[in-house]
């Protein structure tokens, strides 16, 4: 594959990304001034591409400051600092510069050697990350063909070659697993409309553009199976800085229960920054917003808010995939649930270990993710949710909302008005009775029954009897926590049982 950036006879040779898609203009940069300008004006852009360009820039500087075999190291350091700070958000730029500088004591040739190694490594890293991300998406979404939404440009132009998120799309498309890509136009500089559309057309991958504000709507209306984006900086906690407009896509993806996957090389991970608050977001000129194609669009003197990037918090990120790992920044759901359960010994009676889910219910993001997991497990297989008193109510309600399905409450005796159906059952500690209003279920309704804890299985079994006795069908049985050691699941066959966390 043609490389977007190379070293050619003492110059940095690159495609001018400002001129695409209508003009294929090759640039040969021979000075640090030219390189800094190219990075600032986005002739070279995309985190991995600027990283490698930064390293090649140090090589340029080292050659220029070598006279009669003598290298002026302080002069190179000054130039290196200028390059490293040409744009602040993508950590790859400073990383590339720093890495090239490690060879400065060995002379200009060694610096160039390092930069050329980075050039090769970038292409390989992108290919490896893309293959890994494609595997992950197949696991998450099935074999497809998938409808994918992406943002900005993360393709061969934004990297040395192949790309990250767009590399993943390439990988899936080569296996016949892409139905359509929806690409956000990426205001205000239109990296999506100009560059991503160009690369997708080059590959013959079916695609459509949308205005950035339509991305969340496409997700919300079921037009998208997954969102794949790149990154400019990923913090130790897993917060992700990427092109402005990424964050709303992540919110929409989480709300719709579809994966939001970030694909980036390891060089984009910055463990020196704990969370998004520590990332400097580049703010660009007002004119990029107030003008269109050089024409003033807004009233004279209008100011603009023009951040180039936003930060997506870790809990909205399904996975960050690099060339060497698949990180789940939000943490595996079961682990997060486990961390939020308080076990109270001898409550409510001696010998019983009470699983208190109060701390879990106090964590809205965790309730939402748990509800999403249950909904996804039974998606399309239930018409309504039956939540069991009392601690099944919050999670049942969250699942019903998530699915857009009606919620029905099964209650303890004497709480429901009108005619009820009723079932007695044995608990881990004593006996109880469960009731449901006789007319609660539409005939033949498929019911997803939800409680907080599956212990002996008595409560869920009783609820299943209520449903069947009222003419309904069991769509599934779910709880947040399972005390697997009590074998309650065995009482619930042949129905499908799903629990997020087993505390056996
Ligand atoms: O301002 P840009 O065009 O450099 O922003 C680029 C992005 O936000 C990309 O998504 C990111 O750098 C990853 S490119 C593989």
């Amino acid at each position: 594959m043609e490389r977007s950036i190379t070293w050619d006879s003492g110059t940095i040779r690159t495609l001018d990304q400002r001129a695409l898609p209508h003009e294929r203009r090759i640039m040969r940069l021979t000075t640090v001034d030219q390189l800094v300008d190219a990075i600032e004006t986005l002739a070279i852009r995309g985190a991995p591409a600027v990283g490698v360009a930064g390293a090649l820039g140090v090589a340029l500087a080292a050659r220029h400051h070598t006279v009669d075999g003598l290298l002026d190291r302080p002069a190179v350091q000054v130039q290196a600092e200028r390059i490293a700070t040409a744009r602040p958000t993508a950590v790859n730029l400073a990383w590339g510069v720093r890495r090239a500088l490690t060879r400065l004591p060995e002379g200009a040739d060694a610096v160039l050697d390092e930069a050329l190694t980075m050039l090769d490594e970038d292409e390989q890293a992108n290919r490896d990350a893309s293959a890994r991300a494609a595997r992950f998406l197949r696991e998450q979404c099935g074999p497809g063909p998938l409808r994918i939404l992406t943002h900005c440009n993360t393709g061969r132009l934004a990297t040395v070659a192949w790309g990250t998120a767009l590399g993943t799309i390439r990988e899936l498309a080569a296996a016949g697993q892409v139905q359509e890509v929806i690409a956000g136009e990426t205001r205000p500089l239109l990296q999506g409309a100009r560059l991503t559309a160009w690369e997708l057309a080059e590959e013959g991958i079916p695609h459509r553009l949308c205005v950035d504000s339509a991305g969340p709507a496409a997700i919300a209306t079921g037009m998208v199976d997954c969102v794949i984006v790149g990154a400019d900086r990923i913090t130790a906690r897993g917060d992700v800085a990427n092109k402005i407009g990424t964050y709303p896509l992540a919110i929409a993806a989480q709300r719709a229960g579809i994966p939001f996957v970030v694909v980036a090389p390891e060089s984009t991970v910055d463990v020196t920054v704990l969370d998004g608050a520590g990332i400097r977001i580049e703010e660009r000129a007002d004119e990029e917003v107030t003008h269109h194609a050089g024409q003033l669009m807004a009233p004279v003197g209008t100011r603009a808010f023009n951040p180039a990037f936003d930060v997506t918090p870790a809990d909205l990120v399904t996975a960050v995939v690099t060339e060497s790992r698949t990180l789940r920044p939000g943490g595996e759901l079961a682990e997060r649930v486990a961390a939020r359960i308080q076990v109270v010994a001898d409550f409510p009676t001696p010998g019983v270990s009470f699983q208190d889910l109060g701390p879990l219910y106090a964590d809205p993001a965790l309730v939402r993710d748990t509800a999403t997991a249950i909904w996804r497990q039974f998606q399309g297989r239930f018409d309504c949710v039956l939540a069991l008193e009392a601690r099944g109510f919050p999670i049942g309600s969250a699942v019903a909302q998530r699915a857009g399905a009606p919620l029905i409450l099964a209650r303890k005796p004497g709480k429901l008005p009108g005619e009820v159906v009723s079932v007695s059952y044995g608990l881990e500690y004593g006996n109880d009775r469960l009731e449901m209003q006789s007319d609660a279920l539409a005939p033949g309704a498929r019911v997803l029954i939800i409680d907080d804890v599956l212990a002996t299985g008595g409560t869920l079994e009783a609820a299943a009897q209520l449903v069947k006795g009222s003419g309904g069908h069991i769509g599934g049985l779910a709880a947040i926590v399972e005390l697997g050691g009590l074998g309650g699941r065995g009482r619930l066959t042949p129905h499908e049982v799903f629990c997020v966390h087993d505390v056996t």
Side-chain angles (χ1 to χ4, degrees):
M1 168 172 277
E2 184 195 353
R3 290 186 164 180
S4 66
I5 184 162
T6 53
W7 179 259
D8 186 12
S9 317
T11 67
I12 301 172
R13 182 184 186 276
T14 185
L15 259 181
D16 185 345
Q17 297 192 42
R18 296 164 302 190
L20 284 169
H22 302 301
E23 187 189 343
R24 196 187 158 81
R25 187 191 300 156
I26 302 290
M27 297 171 81
R28 287 178 187 279
L29 309 174
T30 55
T31 66
V32 168
D33 282 352
Q34 287 172 350
L35 175 66
V36 167
D37 181 66
I39 293 173
E40 283 175 351
T41 59
L42 275 58
I44 302 173
R45 51 147 296 283
V50 293
V52 170
L56 290 171
V58 180
L60 263 186
R63 283 167 78 102
H64 287 173
H65 291 286
T66 302
V67 179
D68 297 334
L70 277 180
L71 174 64
D72 182 351
R73 279 166 59 179
V76 177
Q77 295 277 4
V78 170
Q79 297 302 316
E81 182 59 20
R82 285 185 58 218
I83 300 167
T85 53
R87 294 187 78 188
T89 305
V91 68
N92 310 60
L93 179 55
W95 167 86
V97 167
R98 265 198 323 272
R99 185 167 153 188
L101 280 175
T102 59
R103 303 286 301 276
L104 194 57
E106 300 167 56
D109 287 347
V111 173
L112 178 59
D113 191 49
E114 191 65 25
L116 294 177
T117 303
M118 291 164 68
L119 212 95
D120 291 339
E121 283 177 4
D122 184 69
E123 176 166 357
Q124 194 53 49
N126 295 329
R127 287 181 185 270
D128 292 348
S130 297
R132 182 182 288 273
R135 277 200 303 277
F136 179 77
L137 282 159
R138 286 181 197 117
E139 279 163 29
Q140 293 281 311
C141 307
L146 298 175
R147 299 158 311 156
I148 301 171
L149 191 142
T150 192
H151 190 54
C152 198
N153 172 263
T154 58
R156 71 179 186 88
L157 297 166
T159 60
V160 170
W162 194 255
T164 56
L166 201 46
T168 306
I169 291 169
R170 245 183 251 288
E171 182 88 21
L172 289 165
Q177 291 174 312
V178 175
Q179 182 176 322
E180 179 184 48
V181 176
I182 295 184
E185 61 174 350
T186 316
R187 284 276 298 156
L189 298 180
L190 302 175
Q191 292 93 326
R194 295 185 301 106
L195 309 176
T196 299
W198 183 73
E199 287 198 46
L200 288 167
E202 191 180 51
E203 287 286 322
I205 298 172
H207 60 281
R208 279 189 284 174
L209 278 175
C210 69
V211 295
D212 295 345
S213 43
I219 295 167
T221 52
M223 291 168 60
V224 177
D225 299 309
C226 59
V227 178
I228 322 178
V229 295
D232 290 85
R233 194 181 295 242
I234 299 162
T235 71
R237 208 191 75 141
D239 296 344
V240 174
N242 190 49
K243 178 54 55 186
I244 188 74
T246 301
Y247 174 48
L249 297 173
I251 295 173
Q254 182 157 69
R255 208 180 144 81
I258 63 170
F260 175 88
V261 174
V262 176
V263 189
E266 283 288 333
S267 52
T268 309
V269 179
D270 181 2
V271 290
T272 68
V273 176
L274 176 65
D275 58 33
I279 301 177
R280 198 177 136 212
I281 298 295
E282 173 184 348
E283 291 223 22
R284 298 186 60 85
D286 291 2
E287 290 70 33
E288 289 179 354
V289 178
T290 55
H291 287 59
H292 176 71
Q295 283 279 106
L296 179 64
M297 305 302 288
V300 174
T302 304
R303 297 293 320 278
F305 170 55
N306 186 18
F309 303 97
D310 59 26
V311 176
T312 299
D315 68 285
L316 295 178
V317 178
T318 309
V320 170
V321 184
T322 75
E323 64 274 31
S324 52
R325 20 177 208 166
T326 301
L327 303 159
R328 307 292 299 266
E332 290 295 341
L333 187 57
E335 282 166 31
R336 289 167 62 204
V337 165
R340 291 293 189 142
I341 298 171
Q342 214 170 335
V343 181
V344 186
D346 299 323
F347 182 85
T349 53
V352 172
S353 281
F354 186 74
Q355 308 288 313
D356 183 9
L357 269 59
L360 184 149
Y361 281 138
D363 181 340
L366 188 50
V367 173
R368 185 191 55 215
D369 292 350
T370 304
T372 299
I374 294 173
W375 166 60
R376 284 180 71 91
Q377 181 70 24
F378 295 102
Q379 195 173 2
R381 293 192 279 148
F382 64 96
D383 306 308
C384 60
V385 171
L386 179 68
L388 310 189
E389 183 166 349
R391 285 176 176 254
F393 286 175
I395 185 63
S397 163
V399 174
Q401 283 205 18
R402 192 73 196 69
L407 175 70
I408 300 165
L409 305 180
R411 301 212 58 182
K412 301 289 167 67
K415 304 275 182 170
L416 290 169
E419 196 183 318
V420 295
V421 283
S422 171
V423 174
S424 292
Y425 63 101
L427 273 175
E428 200 186 352
Y429 39 87
N431 285 304
D432 217 333
R433 213 165 82 226
L434 208 54
E435 295 183 348
M436 186 176 76
Q437 282 167 318
S438 313
D439 58 358
L441 291 185
R446 298 168 306 164
V447 184
L448 173 59
I449 304 175
I450 300 186
D451 204 356
D452 61 336
V453 177
L454 164 57
T456 64
T459 312
L460 281 169
E461 188 184 25
Q465 281 175 33
L466 278 183
V467 168
K468 286 189 261 186
S470 306
H473 301 294
I474 310 296
L477 300 156
I480 303 174
V481 173
E482 177 172 5
L483 308 185
L486 297 179
R489 188 178 274 269
R491 294 170 73 163
L492 304 172
T493 45
H495 306 302
E496 179 176 336
V497 180
F498 174 70
C499 299
V500 175
H501 173 55
D502 187 343
V503 296
T504 302

